[in-house]
Amino acid sequence: MRFTKATNYALHTMLLLVDASSAKPVGVQQLAESQGVSPTYLSKILTRLVKAGMIESISGANGGYRLSRKKDDINFLDIIHAIEGNASLFECDFVHGDECLIQAVMKEAEEKMEGHLKNTKLMDLAKKQTQV
């Protein structure tokens, strides 16, 4: 299983925004430079996070992006769903009378992974990062 690079950048961007002061927005150029990615590419990712209600865009000379949710409420799964969508990782293409046994195993594994990602908060990582 593999997530896209967009998810990687979204997770890192959100961690940067969790660490940033909530009063002052962070510009796309600064966010892009800190990750070595094109500002244009990162802007597309930021747009998805804005649409998901995770961050807000501030216009103007001192504009940029900042969190629109409480830091403690942001988890990995919400960010991943904002970028990747909510589709299941595995779909059985065969027609079975009852639920496919293979589909059931894959669904259970996905539910466990999603549970872990939902319980992993970015704020917890931010705290660990400051202790290092």
Side-chain angles (χ1 to χ4, degrees):
M1 156 179 30
R2 205 172 151 90
F3 292 109
T4 63
K5 286 185 179 182
T7 295
N8 186 11
Y9 290 124
L11 290 165
H12 283 86
T13 298
M14 290 297 291
L15 185 59
L16 290 168
L17 292 175
V18 164
D19 281 341
S21 166
S22 59
K24 184 179 176 194
V26 182
V28 67
Q29 188 68 36
Q30 181 182 350
L31 292 168
E33 285 176 6
S34 69
Q35 298 180 72
V37 65
S38 150
T40 305
Y41 179 62
L42 189 60
S43 290
K44 293 175 184 176
I45 295 166
L46 292 167
T47 298
R48 291 185 199 171
L49 294 170
V50 168
K51 286 181 181 177
M54 304 192 78
I55 61 174
E56 61 183 352
S57 174
I58 310 299
S59 303
N62 294 319
Y65 295 88
R66 67 178 175 208
L67 300 178
S68 61
R69 291 172 47 181
K70 294 168 102 178
K71 292 180 180 187
D72 293 331
D73 293 342
I74 301 170
N75 63 61
F76 273 60
L77 187 62
D78 290 341
I79 298 166
I80 292 168
H81 281 169
I83 303 303
E84 303 284 347
N86 296 0
S88 180
L89 295 174
F90 181 85
E91 293 293 331
C92 182
D93 291 332
F94 297 100
V95 179
H96 300 285
D98 297 319
E99 184 178 333
C100 175
L101 296 176
I102 292 172
Q103 176 74 26
V105 170
M106 298 303 284
K107 184 178 179 181
E108 180 183 356
E110 187 172 344
E111 287 170 356
K112 287 180 181 180
M113 179 183 70
E114 285 186 354
H116 177 72
L117 293 171
K118 186 174 185 173
N119 291 322
T120 304
K121 309 286 185 187
L122 276 184
M123 193 63 197
D124 296 337
L125 268 104
K127 288 176 186 174
K128 285 182 184 178
Q129 193 167 274
T130 57
Q131 295 172 352
V132 175

